């Protein structure tokens, strides 16, 4: 934290204290944390919820959405969901057939809709203590924050791609390969 300005450090301390206080009120748990269904485990339900939100996910991305789940455990989870008729695996035929993506079936989408209703109910309870304009202002600020996080992530990816690019210009590569 040595690179942060005094103003940012004060705001970080305030945010930390707010998060601690929110946790004390029991409001910090993820709305996905304890989804309930008579047949499916909470982690399986979270996977369905993410697939509903993003339609089609590579297995590695799904693992990250589920908190960095190890691939063997994710494979077993997807196996159970596939056997239950909730998801199907798809292999890329154009690129690398080893790339596997997961998609909801119609039955899986129905269960995911039920889970989304639970998530929305929990989120509604979190926002309910605020009045209309205050609640709207909070959501507006959170949207700005998420946009800024997205821009920061895109810039980091572009920087990584620039670092991975060869130092030689494309014309120099063609000249070298022709020689």
């Amino acid at each position: 934290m040595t690179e942060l300005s005094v103003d940012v450090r004060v705001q970080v301390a305030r945010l930390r204290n707010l998060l601690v206080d929110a946790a004390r009120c029991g409001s910090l748990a993820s709305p996905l944390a304890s989804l309930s269904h008579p047949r499916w485990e909470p982690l399986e339900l979270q996977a369905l919820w993410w697939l509903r939100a993003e339609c089609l996910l590579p297995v590695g991305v799904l693992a990250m959405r589920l908190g960095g789940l190890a691939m063997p455990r994710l494979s077993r989870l997807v196996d159970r969901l596939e056997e239950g008729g909730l998801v199907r695996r798809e292999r890329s035929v154009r690129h690398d057939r080893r790339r596997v993506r997961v998609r909801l079936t119609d039955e899986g989408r129905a269960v995911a809709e039920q889970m989304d209703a639970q998530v929305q109910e929990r989120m509604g309870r979190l926002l309910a203590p605020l009045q209309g304009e205050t609640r709207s202002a909070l959501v507006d600020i959170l949207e700005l924050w998420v946009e800024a996080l997205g821009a920061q992530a895109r810039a980091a990816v572009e920087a990584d791609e620039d670092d991975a690019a060869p130092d030689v210009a494309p014309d120099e590569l063609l000249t070298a390969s022709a020689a």
Side-chain angles (χ1 to χ4, degrees):
M1 287 212 357
T2 57
E3 298 176 22
L4 299 178
S5 69
V6 172
D7 182 47
V8 172
R9 287 181 193 207
V10 168
Q11 292 169 346
V12 166
R14 287 178 62 200
L15 179 59
R16 178 196 170 278
N17 290 338
L18 287 169
L19 292 175
V20 168
D21 290 343
R24 285 184 186 134
C25 295
S27 298
L28 197 56
S30 166
L32 298 177
S34 58
L35 295 172
S36 62
H37 189 275
R39 179 174 175 194
W40 303 102
E41 297 294 319
L43 196 58
E44 294 165 337
L45 297 171
Q46 288 179 39
L48 296 175
W49 188 88
W50 279 110
L51 289 165
R52 179 194 177 276
E54 300 194 45
C55 294
L56 177 72
L57 286 176
V59 290
V61 173
L62 182 57
M64 293 308 298
R65 296 288 188 271
L66 296 174
L69 201 62
M71 290 309 286
R73 187 169 177 208
L74 179 74
S75 291
R76 290 189 300 273
L77 182 145
V78 172
D79 287 344
R80 287 189 305 273
L81 293 174
E82 194 170 37
E83 290 165 7
L86 302 181
V87 302
R88 70 175 180 267
R89 288 180 170 100
E90 296 179 0
R91 298 197 182 282
S92 175
V93 291
R94 286 188 176 177
H95 304 293
D96 183 350
R97 289 191 49 79
R98 293 173 294 179
R99 283 185 59 193
V100 176
R101 299 174 301 181
V102 183
R103 178 186 305 271
L104 288 174
T105 63
D106 289 340
E107 186 179 346
R109 189 169 281 88
V111 174
E113 292 290 334
Q114 294 171 359
M115 296 310 98
D116 191 55
Q118 285 184 31
V119 169
Q120 288 187 39
E121 176 65 30
R122 291 175 184 171
M123 293 169 84
R125 284 193 302 260
L126 288 174
L127 290 174
L130 298 175
Q131 297 306 308
E133 287 184 21
T134 305
R135 186 172 45 239
S136 182
L138 172 64
V139 174
D140 290 345
I141 289 170
L142 290 173
E143 285 175 343
L144 290 172
W145 180 50
V146 170
E147 287 174 22
L149 290 172
Q152 185 179 40
R154 286 187 299 277
V157 168
E158 289 172 7
D160 288 346
E161 289 172 355
D162 289 345
D163 290 343
D167 291 334
V168 180
D171 289 341
E172 293 171 299
L173 287 173
L174 288 174
T175 305
S177 65

